Amino acid sequence: MKQYRTILPFIKQHKAQYIFGVLALIFVDITHLLVPQVLRVFADLAQKGELNVERIMFCALAVIVLGLCVAIGRYGWRMNIFGTARKLEYWLRAKLFNKYLSLDDTFFNYHRTGDLMAHVTNDVLMVRNSMGGGIIMIIDSIFMTIFTGIMMIYTVGLKTAMIALTALPLLTIFVFTVLKPMQLRSRRVQDSFSDMTNEVQENISSIHNIKAFGIENNRSRSFSRVNQDYQRKNIEMMRLSALFDPIVSLISGIAFVIFIIYGIYRLLDGSMSLGDFVAVVDYLRLMIWPLIAIAMVVNSFQRGIASMTRINEILSAESKILETAAPSKMDLNNVKIEFKDVSFRYDKKSPWVLKNISFVLENQKSIAILGRTGSGKSTIINLLLRRYDVSSGQILLNDVDIRDMALTDLYKAIALAEQDSFLFSRSIAGNIAFSSSDEDQDYDLNKVRSSAEFSQIAQDIEEMPEGYSTWVGERGVTLSGGQKQRISIARAHYKNTKVLVLDDSLSAVDTNTEKSILDHLKKYQQSLILVSQRVSTVQTADQILVLEDGEITQRGDHISLSQDTEGFYARLYHRQLLESELAEEGRHK
Amino acid sequence: MSNQAKLNADYEKEQLESRKKFSLKRLYGYALPHWKKFLLVIVLIIITTGVTLIQPKLIQLLIDNQFTVLSDRTASSAEQNLATANTIKISLLYLGTLIIAFVTNYGQAYLLQTTGQEILRHIRQNLYNHILHLPTSFFDHYPLGSLVTRVTNDTENLNEMFTSVLSNLIRNLFNLSGIMVIMFLMNYKLASLILILLPLVIFISIVFRKAIRKVYFAQRRVLALINTKLSENISGMRTIQIFNRTRQTETEFDQVNQEYLALSRKELKYFSIYRPSIEVIQSLGIAALIWFGSKGNMRGLISFGVLYAFIDYIQRFFRPIFELSETFNLIQSAITSTSRIFHLMDEPLESRGGNLRISKYGLKGEIEFKNVWFAYNEGEWILKDVSFKVEPGQFVAFVGATGAGKSTIMHLICRFYDINRGQILIDGHDIKEYNLKDLRRAIGVVQQDVFIYSGSIADNITLNRENVDYEAARKAAALVNADQFINKLPQRYREYLTERGSTLSAGQRQLLSFARTVAAQPSILVLDEATANIDTETEFLIQDAIRNMAQQRSMLAVAHRISTIADADNIIVLHHGRLAEQGTKDELLAQDGLFKVLYKLQFQENK
């Protein structure tokens, strides 16, 4: 149960609700137990023929009053205990989500999105159930068992009560024995279900293959295997679970029969009245639920503990990127960036990704990084943005190690547009003004428009029926790769930083648009970092670094680099010239 | 909150449509063949209900006859002995009803579940088969994720419909009417007293149902929103952090989270009012029974046993009402899922093609494109007025920049899509005249991404096609040089491959797919960028394999590497959807056109 320590602050905060809820529950339980007493008195009076209008009235009123008390009390505990459990769900969900917001790329690389989502939805729900229904069941089963026991002993004496209850512990034992295998079988159903999901997913994703080979029937047979397996697993589970209700009725019924037969002798020697009999029968009925509940509590908390453990794992995860406790005060009006002998690898066993990278980017200057896929270009950007920390060497911003800066300061200084940039489900304007600190929709639309013009996307947007309010993302319009890239450039531009990083973010944009974006860039007093595989993108930069296998193999400007005809840069330049020649030729046809 | 409104509108539309399209008839069409089992289930439920409802009656008999005698001090010992014997008899009878109820109850649940699962398996299989036979263009627009959901989760929701909903409905209705009948038989005056309460209960239940339905709909919408937000923010975490937007994201998420909490507490509140209010009515009923019943009792009209039985029955009477109100939510989600499933099943199937059959000797392999125009999306022409001819046995290669329309030509030959204008002829017949299955069997396609199914190597080559046996598989593997690596595997052709074939190298997988294709002896071979992912080690093997395969059949190839198509009989250069140049390699090089540029580029790369 120590896993629940995480929610201790919440419980302390809501102590009052829990206490009130539990009191209401006990109140309901006690009131419940009084109803059979009323019926007992009534039965005895009826049998003795001592009923009169007043007594009848008393009994009827008592039943109504008790009923009202139960109703009010039940509303009270439901709202307090279940209600607090729902608040707990909210609280835990927020806690987890906020934790995600603080974790770094390394964490997200090692955890699948679906799994992280499951923590926030399923696991939180499990904890909620254990803290709502679970608590109710604990209290209810303990109090009801004790109180009912006391009332029975009070009504018919210890011995008769014991005999009436003999069969009932069987219920608890039955539920206990059945729960484990039931969980096991239900796990098997889940596994089979995910097998089936996989089968469908994989086959439909290769539907072209299936059609080309005309093997629809073969695939259909293959599916029917998992389909049958799923059916079988389900039936195996229900074979057990369907036993639950019938067995409960059977065992409680047997307890009842035992009591009747024993009751004959008690009635014969006059030590039990008809009223006592009626009351005990009612008590027996009240006793069934708590006895089942005991076993279910265990189950509910077992699941709760498993989920709590998973949640705790996330909550105790630590970012590898640690913000310094006393960040340096930064003046971000001018920004100079320096890489000093930076090397990087993901961990001690992995190969080096970057080796001895050094360069300086002065304020308002531009630097370009050119290299093939996998040469380490984007890693340089990741290090600059402190997505990872350097393995050796230093990255300095205005001569301060970026590890000594507040992360928000770092991000205030640098804006990034990536090749595969992520757009959110919101309007285009909302996406462009993503960095705006204003609340939703309060951003400056003129600024949005000028950013869109900057990245040459304004015309595309205006042609859409809903313009800047056009919804993008899952339920929104589909944008082409080039459009997405240009929106992400507009987004980075809107942020209005001293340094702009374009990480291959022009790859899906055609050459003419690229050229006019690059021309625009120069008008702004920004430092620029351009990352690309295309010479056309990088050629205007003040300084060009050629990156091969994590090392800088060439550096200089366009003119000096293209003169080294055997070098990577010149060869690539020549090749790309040919390609554009090809494209040109096509256009003239 | 325009997005909210949008989502709301979407949701309502979906709901509306679902009700319109939902046809119980169709769903129960699947159940009809099992009518005998369902009949048995109903009989079992009736027995269970009947037997359970006798139980309070038995107690009534005990109280009224036996117990009165037993507790009567003045009764003779003979009377008491008789009463004792009768009590034991009735107890045993009671035990009997317990055992019968146990058996019929379990039997009923078991039968219903097995039948329900059988029906579901059937629906799932039909749905999956339907999907497999949908036209290729369907998959371009329908998200894969939704298809998977239809087959798995939506059918799962139906499960509730056939199992818990159905049995609950039948059982509770029988219970209710059974209790009413017994009560009327025992004492119609007291029973009509109870009947007066019924409209009150129904009224409260209807009000509750309406209120809770709204909450459930809203809850589902917000839950979907939470999931979207989660998946999106987790995927876009990097952007959020870099753009210093964590604080706003936190607030945004908190908004939906709070909204969900509010709805969730509303749901709780409705339930917390509903159940207790029904219980109050129940108490009123008991009080009324005591009041009127005991007056009758005093006048000797009603025995105490009957009164007791009534109190018992009234408690049983309310349980079905609770249960019915709780199945309501399940019915709702089942209806939505049903309509989604049938909606998908109503998607028109891919055409079977014409009536022209292809004999087992195959085609000659003459292919002709006559002024073919084609667009995936209206207005965006991918192929513009393309014409060319492939003579039987020829090797024709297609080159051009990405997006020039090379792969599209391959798709059109297999009739994955129908063209917009022009004609495609094979052996002089329009491809629409051919039976589609025959056509695709006659054309062997090797694609860029090779899909490995879990199963043995042999299974992966034969793919259980009727015209491909084990021997053909071995021959095909030998022809494409795949036997070399297969024979090195511990189990050879019996070697088990896992899905995605992770144990094989890219080159090995490609060879396997060559073998798979040629095993069926296609008359026309289509290589769609089949050599894109090949390492230099296997390149030689592949070259050789292609040469072997090309013998005696027409071959069309799209290739990145000019080296793989150097000895083609005809090279067709595509540019922006038009046929730009054609001829042999030497002819084209002499022309000094597009091909020459492409060739130089390749040469550059290899240097």
Side-chain angles (χ1 to χ4, degrees):
Chain A
M1 289 298 283
K2 63 173 182 291
Q3 287 86 347
Y4 279 84
R5 212 179 287 152
T6 322
I7 57 171
L8 220 54
F10 177 87
I11 294 177
K12 276 187 186 149
Q13 205 185 326
H14 293 86
K15 228 174 0 198
Q17 275 98 321
Y18 278 114
I19 292 174
F20 184 77
V22 168
L23 289 178
L25 183 59
I26 295 173
F27 171 72
V28 169
D29 284 352
I30 292 173
T31 337
H32 242 148
L33 290 171
L34 291 177
V35 179
Q37 288 298 329
V38 175
L39 293 179
R40 181 178 74 114
V41 171
F42 177 68
D44 282 344
L45 288 175
Q47 200 194 11
K48 289 183 203 142
E50 291 171 6
L51 278 176
N52 59 36
V53 177
E54 252 169 63
R55 284 175 175 163
I56 295 172
M57 182 88 103
F58 171 77
C59 286
L61 275 178
V63 167
I64 293 177
V65 169
L66 289 177
L68 278 173
C69 286
V70 168
I72 293 167
R74 177 162 296 187
Y75 178 79
W77 71 248
R78 274 192 168 231
M79 286 311 280
N80 273 289
I81 294 183
F82 282 158
T84 313
R86 309 246 163 154
K87 256 192 215 153
L88 173 68
E89 182 189 7
Y90 158 83
W91 185 82
L92 260 184
R93 191 177 283 140
K95 203 173 163 71
L96 271 171
F97 185 74
N98 295 347
K99 180 70 189 180
Y100 288 159
L101 284 172
S102 75
L103 287 166
D104 63 356
D105 288 10
T106 315
F107 175 85
F108 290 102
N109 287 344
Y110 285 106
H111 292 85
R112 285 171 301 137
T113 309
D115 189 42
L116 293 180
M117 285 173 68
H119 278 84
V120 185
T121 50
N122 286 352
D123 288 317
V124 166
L125 195 66
M126 287 295 160
V127 174
R128 167 190 121 180
N129 287 344
S130 71
M131 285 306 289
I135 285 194
I136 301 294
M137 285 190 274
I138 290 184
I139 310 272
D140 220 20
S141 49
I142 292 175
F143 278 93
M144 280 304 262
T145 318
I146 294 174
F147 286 165
T148 318
I150 291 173
M151 293 306 278
M152 279 171 90
I153 294 167
Y154 163 75
T155 316
V156 289
L158 182 65
K159 205 173 157 200
T160 318
M162 295 277 277
I163 286 168
L165 291 174
T166 38
L168 290 187
L170 281 178
L171 263 184
T172 314
I173 294 169
F174 161 74
V175 178
F176 261 118
T177 40
V178 153
L179 275 178
K180 261 270 143 64
M182 217 145 91
Q183 269 174 345
L184 192 73
R185 287 179 196 201
S186 123
R187 176 100 32 88
R188 284 198 198 121
V189 169
Q190 297 303 324
D191 289 347
S192 179
F193 185 77
S194 65
D195 282 352
M196 190 169 74
T197 311
N198 269 335
E199 171 86 16
V200 178
Q201 170 105 28
E202 301 210 338
N203 278 291
I204 297 181
S205 66
S206 73
I207 190 82
H208 270 90
N209 256 302
I210 293 171
K211 292 201 171 288
F213 286 103
I215 49 167
E216 286 93 345
N217 293 339
N218 170 22
R219 293 292 88 206
S220 164
R221 270 198 298 280
S222 169
F223 176 76
S224 97
R225 268 194 296 275
V226 282
N227 196 2
Q228 264 161 15
D229 181 67
Y230 184 61
Q231 180 190 13
R232 204 164 37 238
K233 295 285 155 64
N234 258 310
I235 290 177
E236 269 167 27
M237 183 179 73
M238 60 70 43
R239 220 177 262 156
L240 206 58
S241 61
L243 215 55
F244 212 90
D245 272 355
I247 287 243
V248 167
S249 315
L250 184 66
I251 294 178
S252 52
I254 288 174
F256 190 61
V257 172
I258 293 174
F259 173 68
I260 294 175
I261 293 175
Y262 178 75
I264 301 173
Y265 303 100
R266 298 295 310 275
L267 285 167
L268 273 177
D269 66 16
S271 57
M272 188 172 77
S273 69
L274 183 58
D276 295 341
F277 174 81
V278 171
V280 170
V281 168
D282 246 24
Y283 283 133
L284 274 177
R285 190 179 294 145
L286 285 175
M287 199 77 157
I288 296 167
W289 161 244
L291 288 171
I292 299 171
I294 290 173
M296 280 167 64
V297 162
V298 177
N299 182 34
S300 166
F301 273 94
Q302 261 174 0
R303 286 186 192 197
I305 287 172
S307 288
M308 213 55 233
T309 313
R310 274 163 57 84
I311 291 173
N312 288 340
E313 268 167 25
I314 299 282
L315 291 178
S316 64
E318 270 176 31
S319 234
K320 282 194 174 174
I321 305 299
L322 295 175
E323 230 177 330
T324 167
S328 308
K329 264 211 138 105
M330 301 294 296
D331 169 25
L332 297 173
N333 289 321
N334 293 305
V335 173
K336 185 183 114 181
I337 291 170
E338 184 176 2
F339 271 60
K340 254 190 185 168
D341 219 14
V342 169
S343 296
F344 176 74
R345 55 180 167 180
Y346 286 97
D347 58 65
K348 292 219 166 69
K349 283 174 203 145
S350 322
W352 291 99
V353 182
L354 290 176
K355 283 166 269 184
N356 307 95
I357 304 291
S358 297
F359 64 84
V360 180
L361 173 64
E362 297 289 349
N363 194 35
Q364 297 190 17
K365 293 283 180 194
S366 60
I367 194 166
I369 304 167
L370 183 84
R372 286 211 179 91
T373 322
S375 58
K377 291 172 301 189
S378 294
T379 312
I380 293 185
I381 305 304
N382 281 337
L383 293 182
L384 173 62
L385 290 165
R386 257 198 106 189
R387 309 312 300 170
Y388 304 95
D389 274 336
V390 296
S391 307
S392 70
Q394 258 190 318
I395 301 172
L396 305 172
L397 197 139
N398 290 349
D399 299 318
V400 176
D401 192 306
I402 56 169
R403 282 169 289 192
D404 295 329
M405 288 175 67
L407 278 174
T408 45
D409 277 346
L410 181 66
Y411 297 145
K412 263 181 213 156
I414 304 170
L416 169 73
E418 291 175 285
Q419 177 185 22
D420 196 12
S421 45
F422 192 88
L423 297 182
F424 292 82
S425 309
R426 48 175 67 225
S427 67
I428 290 188
N431 266 292
I432 293 178
F434 194 63
S435 57
S436 151
S437 54
D438 303 324
E439 287 311 315
D440 245 10
Q441 310 217 338
D442 285 342
Y443 32 76
D444 181 355
L445 205 59
N446 284 327
K447 209 177 148 198
V448 169
R449 215 168 266 139
S450 74
S451 298
E453 270 154 24
F454 171 83
S455 67
Q456 307 281 317
I457 185 74
Q459 204 186 335
D460 294 43
I461 296 173
E462 274 149 26
E463 278 167 13
M464 296 174 192
E466 289 176 71
Y468 284 91
S469 322
T470 305
W471 206 252
V472 291
E474 264 181 52
R475 273 168 180 251
V477 294
T478 358
L479 297 168
S480 74
Q483 284 173 326
K484 273 192 199 159
Q485 288 191 344
R486 280 178 286 154
I487 289 178
S488 92
I489 294 173
R491 178 170 72 185
H493 181 260
Y494 184 98
K495 203 179 160 193
N496 195 18
T497 53
K498 286 293 158 189
V499 183
L500 176 65
V501 181
L502 301 186
D503 186 356
D504 224 351
S505 56
L506 291 162
S507 60
V509 172
D510 68 72
T511 6
N512 286 335
T513 318
E514 178 186 16
K515 200 168 170 306
S516 52
I517 293 176
L518 290 173
D519 287 345
H520 258 81
L521 280 175
K522 284 183 206 128
K523 291 186 204 146
Y524 290 87
Q525 323 248 294
Q526 263 180 324
S527 302
L528 263 182
I529 302 181
L530 297 165
V531 176
S532 182
Q533 315 191 40
R534 293 213 300 230
V535 173
S536 58
T537 316
V538 305
Q539 59 188 356
T540 55
D542 299 321
Q543 192 185 173
I544 299 167
L545 309 176
V546 174
L547 205 62
E548 287 181 88
D549 290 331
E551 277 178 290
I552 298 178
T553 52
Q554 283 182 293
R555 66 171 80 205
D557 60 8
H558 178 67
I559 298 170
S560 69
L561 285 174
S562 37
Q563 275 157 5
D564 179 10
T565 49
E566 278 309 294
F568 177 85
Y569 187 87
R571 274 189 291 144
L572 190 69
Y573 179 49
H574 189 61
R575 195 179 125 74
Q576 289 180 352
L577 270 186
L578 269 173
E579 269 174 10
S580 56
E581 198 181 306
L582 178 72
E584 280 302 301
E585 212 158 319
R587 201 164 290 127
H588 294 311
K589 290 235 160 192
Chain B
M1 294 294 270
S2 75
N3 63 322
Q4 208 77 332
K6 190 175 144 83
L7 286 175
N8 257 332
D10 281 2
Y11 213 82
E12 270 158 25
K13 214 174 104 195
E14 194 182 319
Q15 290 301 332
L16 204 78
E17 212 173 9
S18 78
R19 237 166 294 151
K20 205 168 63 193
K21 291 226 170 86
F22 173 64
S23 111
L24 265 174
K25 233 187 190 169
R26 207 161 160 189
L27 189 57
Y28 286 108
Y30 280 92
L32 208 60
H34 301 278
W35 68 271
K36 280 184 191 157
K37 285 182 196 154
F38 280 109
L39 198 68
L40 188 56
V41 166
I42 292 175
V43 170
L44 287 176
I45 290 178
I46 295 177
I47 294 175
T48 317
T49 317
V51 158
T52 332
L53 289 180
I54 290 174
Q55 289 167 359
K57 172 79 187 165
L58 289 176
I59 306 292
Q60 179 243 321
L61 290 176
L62 274 181
I63 292 175
D64 279 350
N65 308 325
Q66 275 64 39
F67 283 6
T68 332
V69 179
L70 285 175
S71 51
D72 186 1
R73 309 256 107 184
T74 57
S76 69
S77 68
E79 276 175 322
Q80 291 201 331
N81 281 344
L82 184 68
T84 309
N86 280 338
T87 309
I88 291 175
K89 238 188 253 165
I90 293 177
S91 304
L92 289 179
L93 207 59
Y94 193 92
L95 190 65
T97 63
L98 286 173
I99 292 168
I100 292 172
F102 173 74
V103 173
T104 53
N105 213 349
Y106 184 70
Q108 168 266 116
Y110 183 80
L111 205 61
L112 199 59
Q113 288 269 1
T114 45
T115 320
Q117 288 295 336
E118 179 68 24
I119 292 169
L120 281 177
R121 186 182 62 76
H122 193 191
I123 292 179
R124 222 180 275 127
Q125 191 74 42
N126 276 3
L127 184 62
Y128 187 73
N129 290 351
H130 189 88
I131 293 173
L132 282 178
H133 289 93
L134 286 170
T136 327
S137 53
F138 174 84
F139 298 92
D140 297 343
H141 302 294
Y142 210 97
L144 173 65
S146 310
L147 282 177
V148 177
T149 315
R150 286 306 94 83
V151 179
T152 54
N153 295 347
D154 281 329
T155 50
E156 197 51 35
N157 279 344
L158 274 192
N159 189 11
E160 304 286 351
M161 193 72 182
F162 276 113
T163 52
S164 45
V165 171
L166 206 63
S167 70
N168 258 327
L169 221 60
I170 299 175
R171 195 183 51 223
N172 289 325
L173 288 177
F174 272 116
N175 246 321
L176 270 179
S177 42
I179 291 172
M180 287 307 295
V181 169
I182 292 183
M183 288 205 291
F184 269 99
L185 286 179
M186 281 173 86
N187 186 305
Y188 71 93
K189 274 188 186 155
L190 278 184
S192 20
L193 199 67
I194 304 297
L195 209 60
I196 295 171
L197 291 174
L198 203 58
L200 203 58
V201 172
I202 291 173
F203 174 73
I204 292 179
S205 297
I206 287 175
V207 171
F208 165 74
R209 212 185 73 168
K210 277 205 171 131
I212 202 79
R213 181 158 85 184
K214 269 193 205 139
V215 178
Y216 275 140
F217 280 171
Q219 240 181 350
R220 264 157 62 173
R221 177 181 58 76
V222 177
L223 195 64
L225 207 61
I226 286 186
N227 277 321
T228 316
K229 283 241 178 264
L230 274 178
S231 107
E232 168 166 303
N233 287 324
I234 292 172
S235 314
M237 190 57 77
R238 183 184 155 87
T239 313
I240 291 169
Q241 289 173 349
I242 291 175
F243 279 82
N244 268 338
R245 218 191 142 80
T246 41
R247 197 182 49 79
Q248 287 104 308
T249 311
E250 194 182 316
T251 331
E252 278 171 23
F253 185 76
D254 194 54
Q255 271 172 13
V256 271
N257 201 5
Q258 292 232 16
E259 201 182 337
Y260 188 75
L261 173 65
L263 286 169
S264 165
R265 287 179 65 96
K266 206 175 192 178
E267 176 216 323
L268 180 67
K269 195 172 177 176
Y270 287 171
F271 267 107
S272 304
I273 293 174
Y274 174 67
R275 277 199 82 134
S277 61
I278 298 285
E279 275 172 341
V280 168
I281 294 179
Q282 189 178 322
S283 310
L284 281 178
I286 296 176
L289 279 178
I290 291 177
W291 178 250
F292 292 103
S294 47
K295 279 191 173 165
N297 182 259
M298 281 194 302
R299 270 180 265 133
L301 293 174
I302 301 165
S303 70
F304 179 72
V306 170
L307 207 52
Y308 174 80
F310 259 82
I311 293 174
D312 193 331
Y313 280 124
I314 200 169
Q315 278 163 352
R316 288 172 194 249
F317 184 72
F318 284 95
R319 211 187 307 152
I321 296 173
F322 289 134
E323 284 185 11
L324 282 175
S325 69
E326 267 163 38
T327 48
F328 176 71
N329 191 30
L330 293 177
I331 296 179
Q332 281 301 318
S333 82
I335 286 176
T336 314
S337 291
T338 316
S339 79
R340 284 187 183 151
I341 289 171
F342 285 132
H343 192 68
L344 189 56
M345 280 204 191
D346 286 338
E347 285 288 334
L349 289 176
E350 186 171 45
S351 98
R352 287 161 180 275
N355 294 325
L356 193 58
R357 302 301 301 254
I358 296 170
S359 78
K360 62 174 179 171
Y361 303 109
L363 298 161
K364 278 191 292 171
E366 183 196 272
I367 303 165
E368 190 177 0
F369 269 54
K370 267 191 182 166
N371 308 96
V372 170
W373 290 75
F374 174 72
Y376 290 103
N377 301 315
E378 212 177 318
E380 298 169 22
W381 294 110
I382 303 294
L383 293 183
K384 300 169 202 160
D385 201 24
V386 172
S387 300
F388 62 85
K389 194 166 180 186
V390 180
E391 299 295 341
Q394 258 193 340
F395 172 16
V396 175
F398 294 82
V399 295
T402 327
K406 296 164 297 182
S407 292
T408 305
I409 290 185
M410 306 300 132
H411 286 162
L412 293 182
I413 291 173
C414 302
R415 221 188 144 193
F416 281 153
Y417 302 90
D418 278 332
I419 54 175
N420 301 69
R421 273 183 244 165
Q423 229 185 352
I424 302 174
L425 304 169
I426 293 182
D427 283 5
H429 293 280
D430 192 308
I431 56 166
K432 287 181 186 164
E433 291 173 33
Y434 288 107
N435 174 289
L436 193 67
K437 262 218 151 118
D438 283 4
L439 180 75
R440 288 188 182 155
R441 264 185 202 159
I443 300 172
V445 186
V446 184
Q447 279 165 329
Q448 188 177 352
D449 48 332
V450 184
F451 201 84
I452 303 287
Y453 300 104
S454 42
S456 69
I457 293 250
D459 290 341
N460 263 289
I461 298 176
T462 62
L463 297 175
N464 292 349
R465 285 170 291 182
E466 52 215 61
N467 53 341
V468 182
D469 57 12
Y470 182 57
E471 206 36 53
R474 287 187 66 140
K475 273 193 193 146
L479 183 76
V480 300
N481 297 326
D483 57 342
Q484 298 184 10
F485 87 84
I486 295 172
N487 284 332
K488 280 184 199 140
L489 297 170
Q491 305 274 328
R492 300 184 177 203
Y493 285 85
R494 303 255 163 269
E495 181 81 7
Y496 190 83
L497 297 179
T498 52
E499 211 116 8
R500 298 254 173 247
S502 50
T503 47
L504 302 178
S505 77
Q508 290 170 335
R509 278 200 294 255
Q510 195 57 266
L511 286 176
L512 202 60
S513 91
F514 281 164
R516 183 189 278 177
T517 305
V518 293
Q521 300 282 352
S523 320
I524 298 170
L525 198 62
V526 171
L527 306 185
D528 190 0
E529 309 211 8
T531 54
N533 303 324
I534 302 286
D535 42 303
T536 34
E537 268 169 75
T538 30
E539 168 140 28
F540 167 75
L541 285 176
I542 298 233
Q543 292 286 354
D544 193 48
I546 291 176
R547 234 168 278 138
N548 289 340
M549 290 192 295
Q551 282 164 9
Q552 303 160 338
R553 50 171 75 95
S554 309
M555 182 163 86
L556 286 79
V558 172
H560 270 319
R561 302 178 196 217
I562 292 185
S563 53
T564 49
I565 54 161
D567 48 355
D569 299 309
N570 191 15
I571 296 174
I572 292 175
V573 184
L574 286 168
H575 201 79
H576 295 305
R578 287 187 189 275
L579 195 150
E581 297 164 15
Q582 62 175 320
T584 61
K585 180 184 137 199
D586 293 335
E587 285 166 16
L588 289 174
L589 282 179
Q591 265 184 34
D592 200 23
L594 273 172
F595 183 75
K596 187 150 185 204
V597 183
L598 284 167
Y599 187 77
K600 271 203 278 181
L601 263 176
Q602 291 262 319
F603 181 67
Q604 263 277 329
E605 195 170 35
N606 294 343
K607 197 169 84 171

